[in-house]
Short mmCIF file of all heavy atoms in Angstrom, two decimals:
data_model
loop_
_atom_site.label_atom_id
_atom_site.label_comp_id
_atom_site.label_asym_id
_atom_site.label_seq_id
_atom_site.Cartn_x
_atom_site.Cartn_y
_atom_site.Cartn_z
N ILE A 1400 -6.51 8.86 1.51
CA ILE A 1400 -5.41 8.21 0.87
C ILE A 1400 -5.04 7.03 1.65
O ILE A 1400 -5.06 6.99 2.89
CB ILE A 1400 -4.29 9.28 0.72
CG1 ILE A 1400 -3.09 8.66 -0.13
CG2 ILE A 1400 -3.81 9.75 2.10
CD1 ILE A 1400 -2.07 9.65 -0.44
N ALA A 1401 -4.67 5.99 0.94
CA ALA A 1401 -4.33 4.71 1.65
C ALA A 1401 -3.27 3.85 0.85
O ALA A 1401 -3.25 3.92 -0.38
CB ALA A 1401 -5.58 3.83 1.99
N PHE A 1402 -2.49 3.13 1.59
CA PHE A 1402 -1.60 2.13 0.93
C PHE A 1402 -2.29 0.81 0.81
O PHE A 1402 -3.11 0.40 1.61
CB PHE A 1402 -0.36 1.94 1.79
CG PHE A 1402 0.59 3.12 1.81
CD1 PHE A 1402 0.85 3.71 3.00
CD2 PHE A 1402 1.12 3.61 0.71
CE1 PHE A 1402 1.67 4.85 3.08
CE2 PHE A 1402 1.95 4.65 0.69
CZ PHE A 1402 2.31 5.32 1.94
N TYR A 1403 -1.92 0.02 -0.20
CA TYR A 1403 -2.46 -1.34 -0.36
C TYR A 1403 -1.32 -2.23 -0.71
O TYR A 1403 -0.20 -1.87 -1.20
CB TYR A 1403 -3.40 -1.35 -1.62
CG TYR A 1403 -4.79 -0.63 -1.28
CD1 TYR A 1403 -4.93 0.66 -1.18
CD2 TYR A 1403 -5.79 -1.42 -0.86
CE1 TYR A 1403 -6.16 1.28 -0.85
CE2 TYR A 1403 -6.97 -0.97 -0.39
CZ TYR A 1403 -7.14 0.44 -0.46
OH TYR A 1403 -8.40 0.99 -0.04
N THR A 1404 -1.61 -3.58 -0.63
CA THR A 1404 -0.55 -4.59 -0.82
C THR A 1404 -0.24 -4.87 -2.27
O THR A 1404 0.82 -5.35 -2.59
CB THR A 1404 -0.91 -5.90 -0.12
OG1 THR A 1404 -2.19 -6.39 -0.65
CG2 THR A 1404 -1.03 -5.79 1.38
N SER A 1405 -1.10 -4.54 -3.21
CA SER A 1405 -0.90 -4.88 -4.60
C SER A 1405 -1.74 -3.91 -5.50
O SER A 1405 -2.52 -3.16 -4.95
CB SER A 1405 -1.35 -6.32 -4.92
OG SER A 1405 -2.78 -6.43 -4.88
N SER A 1406 -1.52 -4.03 -6.75
CA SER A 1406 -2.29 -3.20 -7.71
C SER A 1406 -3.77 -3.48 -7.82
O SER A 1406 -4.55 -2.80 -8.49
CB SER A 1406 -1.62 -3.25 -9.12
OG SER A 1406 -1.63 -4.55 -9.64
N SER A 1407 -4.21 -4.58 -7.19
CA SER A 1407 -5.66 -4.89 -7.15
C SER A 1407 -6.34 -4.00 -6.10
O SER A 1407 -7.57 -3.91 -6.15
CB SER A 1407 -5.88 -6.37 -6.83
OG SER A 1407 -5.46 -6.64 -5.41
N PHE A 1408 -5.61 -3.35 -5.22
CA PHE A 1408 -6.19 -2.49 -4.30
C PHE A 1408 -7.37 -3.18 -3.42
O PHE A 1408 -8.35 -2.51 -3.19
CB PHE A 1408 -6.71 -1.19 -4.94
CG PHE A 1408 -5.64 -0.29 -5.59
CD1 PHE A 1408 -5.40 -0.49 -6.90
CD2 PHE A 1408 -4.86 0.44 -4.85
CE1 PHE A 1408 -4.41 0.31 -7.53
CE2 PHE A 1408 -3.89 1.18 -5.39
CZ PHE A 1408 -3.60 1.07 -6.77
N TYR A 1409 -7.06 -4.36 -3.07
CA TYR A 1409 -8.04 -5.12 -2.33
C TYR A 1409 -7.73 -5.12 -0.88
O TYR A 1409 -8.62 -4.94 0.04
CB TYR A 1409 -8.18 -6.55 -2.82
CG TYR A 1409 -9.26 -7.37 -2.27
CD1 TYR A 1409 -10.60 -7.09 -2.61
CD2 TYR A 1409 -9.07 -8.39 -1.37
CE1 TYR A 1409 -11.64 -7.81 -2.04
CE2 TYR A 1409 -10.06 -9.03 -0.81
CZ TYR A 1409 -11.37 -8.73 -1.11
OH TYR A 1409 -12.38 -9.49 -0.58
N TYR A 1410 -6.46 -5.31 -0.45
CA TYR A 1410 -6.02 -5.45 0.95
C TYR A 1410 -5.31 -4.17 1.32
O TYR A 1410 -4.23 -3.87 0.92
CB TYR A 1410 -5.10 -6.67 1.18
CG TYR A 1410 -5.75 -8.01 0.98
CD1 TYR A 1410 -5.52 -8.71 -0.17
CD2 TYR A 1410 -6.67 -8.43 1.86
CE1 TYR A 1410 -6.12 -9.98 -0.34
CE2 TYR A 1410 -7.35 -9.64 1.73
CZ TYR A 1410 -7.03 -10.46 0.61
OH TYR A 1410 -7.65 -11.64 0.45
N GLN A 1411 -6.01 -3.33 2.16
CA GLN A 1411 -5.49 -2.03 2.58
C GLN A 1411 -4.47 -2.37 3.74
O GLN A 1411 -4.60 -3.26 4.57
CB GLN A 1411 -6.62 -1.19 3.12
CG GLN A 1411 -5.99 0.17 3.51
CD GLN A 1411 -7.17 1.14 3.96
OE1 GLN A 1411 -8.31 0.88 3.58
NE2 GLN A 1411 -6.86 2.29 4.55
N ILE A 1412 -3.42 -1.50 3.79
CA ILE A 1412 -2.32 -1.56 4.82
C ILE A 1412 -2.67 -0.51 5.83
O ILE A 1412 -2.91 0.77 5.48
CB ILE A 1412 -0.93 -1.34 4.23
CG1 ILE A 1412 -0.67 -2.50 3.28
CG2 ILE A 1412 0.12 -1.30 5.31
CD1 ILE A 1412 0.49 -2.24 2.42
N TYR A 1413 -2.72 -0.85 7.18
CA TYR A 1413 -3.09 0.07 8.18
C TYR A 1413 -1.85 0.47 9.00
O TYR A 1413 -2.02 1.26 9.91
CB TYR A 1413 -4.17 -0.48 9.12
CG TYR A 1413 -5.51 -0.68 8.25
CD1 TYR A 1413 -5.89 -1.89 7.74
CD2 TYR A 1413 -6.31 0.44 8.12
CE1 TYR A 1413 -7.02 -2.01 7.11
CE2 TYR A 1413 -7.53 0.27 7.41
CZ TYR A 1413 -7.91 -0.96 6.90
OH TYR A 1413 -9.04 -1.17 6.28
N ASP A 1414 -0.68 -0.20 8.79
CA ASP A 1414 0.52 0.17 9.44
C ASP A 1414 0.88 1.64 9.22
O ASP A 1414 0.87 2.11 8.12
CB ASP A 1414 1.71 -0.72 9.09
CG ASP A 1414 1.40 -2.18 9.37
OD1 ASP A 1414 0.50 -2.44 10.12
OD2 ASP A 1414 2.08 -3.02 8.82
N SER A 1415 1.23 2.38 10.26
CA SER A 1415 1.77 3.70 10.06
C SER A 1415 2.79 4.08 11.05
O SER A 1415 2.61 3.96 12.29
CB SER A 1415 0.54 4.68 10.27
OG SER A 1415 1.01 6.03 9.94
N PRO A 1416 4.07 4.32 10.65
CA PRO A 1416 4.44 4.32 9.25
C PRO A 1416 4.51 2.95 8.60
O PRO A 1416 4.80 1.88 9.32
CB PRO A 1416 5.81 5.02 9.31
CG PRO A 1416 6.30 4.75 10.63
CD PRO A 1416 5.16 4.55 11.57
N TYR A 1417 4.31 2.82 7.37
CA TYR A 1417 4.41 1.61 6.61
C TYR A 1417 5.78 1.49 6.14
O TYR A 1417 6.36 2.27 5.43
CB TYR A 1417 3.35 1.72 5.40
CG TYR A 1417 3.41 0.58 4.38
CD1 TYR A 1417 3.63 -0.69 4.77
CD2 TYR A 1417 3.41 0.87 3.08
CE1 TYR A 1417 3.60 -1.75 3.88
CE2 TYR A 1417 3.47 -0.11 2.10
CZ TYR A 1417 3.58 -1.38 2.47
OH TYR A 1417 3.65 -2.40 1.58
N GLU A 1418 6.51 0.33 6.52
CA GLU A 1418 7.88 0.07 6.23
C GLU A 1418 7.99 -0.62 4.90
O GLU A 1418 7.30 -1.67 4.64
CB GLU A 1418 8.55 -0.71 7.35
CG GLU A 1418 8.72 0.11 8.56
CD GLU A 1418 9.58 -0.56 9.54
OE1 GLU A 1418 10.19 -1.57 9.26
OE2 GLU A 1418 9.73 -0.08 10.74
N VAL A 1419 8.84 -0.14 3.94
CA VAL A 1419 9.04 -0.75 2.68
C VAL A 1419 10.56 -0.77 2.38
O VAL A 1419 11.33 -0.08 2.98
CB VAL A 1419 8.31 0.09 1.54
CG1 VAL A 1419 6.86 0.03 1.70
CG2 VAL A 1419 8.88 1.44 1.47
N ASN A 1420 10.98 -1.65 1.51
CA ASN A 1420 12.35 -1.71 1.04
C ASN A 1420 12.56 -0.61 -0.01
O ASN A 1420 11.64 -0.25 -0.74
CB ASN A 1420 12.64 -3.10 0.50
CG ASN A 1420 12.68 -4.23 1.53
OD1 ASN A 1420 13.10 -3.91 2.64
ND2 ASN A 1420 12.16 -5.30 1.21
N LEU A 1421 13.78 -0.15 -0.17
CA LEU A 1421 14.11 0.77 -1.25
C LEU A 1421 13.81 0.07 -2.61
O LEU A 1421 14.03 -1.11 -2.75
CB LEU A 1421 15.54 1.15 -1.21
CG LEU A 1421 15.98 2.08 -0.05
CD1 LEU A 1421 17.45 2.41 -0.11
CD2 LEU A 1421 15.16 3.44 -0.14
N ASN A 1422 13.25 0.92 -3.52
CA ASN A 1422 12.84 0.39 -4.77
C ASN A 1422 11.59 -0.62 -4.84
O ASN A 1422 11.27 -1.15 -5.90
CB ASN A 1422 14.02 -0.23 -5.54
CG ASN A 1422 15.08 0.71 -5.79
OD1 ASN A 1422 14.91 1.89 -6.13
ND2 ASN A 1422 16.35 0.30 -5.61
N GLN A 1423 10.99 -0.78 -3.73
CA GLN A 1423 9.81 -1.56 -3.69
C GLN A 1423 8.64 -0.72 -4.15
O GLN A 1423 8.58 0.50 -3.92
CB GLN A 1423 9.51 -2.01 -2.13
CG GLN A 1423 8.23 -2.83 -2.02
CD GLN A 1423 7.97 -3.13 -0.54
OE1 GLN A 1423 8.84 -3.22 0.23
NE2 GLN A 1423 6.71 -3.40 -0.25
N TYR A 1424 7.68 -1.35 -4.86
CA TYR A 1424 6.50 -0.64 -5.33
C TYR A 1424 5.60 -0.25 -4.15
O TYR A 1424 5.44 -0.94 -3.26
CB TYR A 1424 5.69 -1.48 -6.29
CG TYR A 1424 6.28 -1.53 -7.79
CD1 TYR A 1424 6.91 -2.70 -8.23
CD2 TYR A 1424 6.19 -0.41 -8.54
CE1 TYR A 1424 7.41 -2.75 -9.40
CE2 TYR A 1424 6.72 -0.49 -9.89
CZ TYR A 1424 7.34 -1.65 -10.30
OH TYR A 1424 7.86 -1.66 -11.48
N LEU A 1425 5.07 1.02 -4.29
CA LEU A 1425 4.03 1.40 -3.31
C LEU A 1425 2.71 1.51 -4.08
O LEU A 1425 2.62 2.15 -5.11
CB LEU A 1425 4.41 2.77 -2.80
CG LEU A 1425 5.45 2.85 -1.77
CD1 LEU A 1425 5.77 4.30 -1.43
CD2 LEU A 1425 5.19 2.12 -0.45
N TYR A 1426 1.63 0.94 -3.56
CA TYR A 1426 0.40 1.05 -4.20
C TYR A 1426 -0.47 1.93 -3.32
O TYR A 1426 -0.82 1.67 -2.19
CB TYR A 1426 -0.26 -0.35 -4.29
CG TYR A 1426 0.57 -1.31 -5.15
CD1 TYR A 1426 1.42 -2.23 -4.53
CD2 TYR A 1426 0.50 -1.26 -6.56
CE1 TYR A 1426 2.19 -3.03 -5.27
CE2 TYR A 1426 1.31 -2.12 -7.29
CZ TYR A 1426 2.16 -2.99 -6.64
OH TYR A 1426 2.94 -3.78 -7.48
N VAL A 1427 -0.79 3.15 -3.90
CA VAL A 1427 -1.54 4.12 -3.15
C VAL A 1427 -2.84 4.43 -3.90
O VAL A 1427 -2.88 4.61 -5.01
CB VAL A 1427 -0.65 5.48 -3.11
CG1 VAL A 1427 -1.40 6.54 -2.36
CG2 VAL A 1427 0.77 5.08 -2.50
N GLN A 1428 -3.89 4.43 -3.12
CA GLN A 1428 -5.22 4.86 -3.71
C GLN A 1428 -5.68 6.13 -3.03
O GLN A 1428 -5.67 6.24 -1.74
CB GLN A 1428 -6.23 3.69 -3.36
CG GLN A 1428 -7.56 3.95 -3.99
CD GLN A 1428 -8.58 2.91 -3.73
OE1 GLN A 1428 -8.94 2.66 -2.56
NE2 GLN A 1428 -9.03 2.19 -4.72
N VAL A 1429 -6.14 7.01 -3.84
CA VAL A 1429 -6.72 8.30 -3.36
C VAL A 1429 -8.12 8.39 -3.81
O VAL A 1429 -8.44 8.04 -4.96
CB VAL A 1429 -5.89 9.48 -3.89
CG1 VAL A 1429 -6.46 10.87 -3.31
CG2 VAL A 1429 -4.41 9.35 -3.57
N LYS A 1430 -9.00 8.66 -2.84
CA LYS A 1430 -10.46 8.62 -3.24
C LYS A 1430 -11.10 10.04 -2.85
O LYS A 1430 -10.70 10.54 -1.78
CB LYS A 1430 -11.20 7.56 -2.52
CG LYS A 1430 -10.89 6.23 -3.03
CD LYS A 1430 -11.93 5.18 -2.64
CE LYS A 1430 -12.04 5.12 -1.11
NZ LYS A 1430 -12.79 3.99 -0.58
#
């Protein structure tokens, strides 16, 4: 399972924990 910067799922986010704003979209890919 991994977070990505957009719905294109091209750039994976490696920060852990990954900081987001409230109501910000999270793009998660499970393989």
